[in-house]
Amino acid sequence: MSAAQVNGTWASKYGEFKIWALGRQRLQVEFSGVYEYKTPQRPTANSGEGSGIATIDGDTALFKPEGAEEECQITLKFTGGKLVVTQTGICGFGHNVTAAGTYKKVSAKKPKFGSD
């Protein structure tokens, strides 16, 4: 995969990945996700985020956010212009918040990372 194919901001209805290639098969990754639900009072949402360095091999990157549980594993697969994400284990994102889903690229520009 070229950096141009992975770099940028990827979004789904429930979350967003910011990804930037650092070279040597390393990607800077930042995820933020939301799980919305309705309560009798008002709609509310749980949110979660994680960031760290992923390693990419071919079209698939493995990402474990800094400080996440040991069992947490997030797989990012870049395929057909989309980003398909699977998550195993608990990643500490908040109740029902998951990174899993299909994301489409919404920007190819260098994302602003929280650490910037």
Side-chain angles (χ1 to χ4, degrees), residues 1-115:
M1 289 251 97
S2 72
Q5 287 171 290
V6 302
N7 282 350
T9 303
W10 300 78
S12 77
K13 192 174 165 190
Y14 301 108
E16 183 181 80
F17 272 91
K18 296 175 180 178
I19 299 175
W20 197 252
L22 301 172
R24 299 197 311 280
Q25 295 182 297
R26 289 159 62 248
L27 306 175
Q28 183 175 2
V29 178
E30 200 168 273
F31 164 75
S32 59
V34 174
Y35 177 80
E36 294 177 3
Y37 54 96
K38 296 189 173 28
T39 66
Q41 293 77 30
R42 66 187 185 285
T44 183
N46 290 328
S47 63
E49 45 202 40
S51 60
I53 304 297
T55 53
I56 188 166
D57 187 15
D59 63 0
T60 304
L62 299 178
F63 171 54
K64 184 164 138 351
E66 288 163 18
E69 287 79 352
E70 203 48 56
E71 67 189 67
C72 172
Q73 170 115 343
I74 297 170
T75 304
L76 312 173
K77 187 167 172 59
F78 298 89
T79 174
K82 293 196 207 46
L83 170 59
V84 178
V85 180
T86 52
Q87 175 182 318
T88 53
I90 294 164
C91 293
F93 291 144
H95 189 61
N96 286 335
V97 177
T98 177
T102 300
Y103 296 75
K104 61 179 205 277
K105 190 180 280 197
V106 293
S107 170
K109 290 208 276 292
K110 181 165 190 191
K112 280 245 9 113
F113 290 97
S115 55

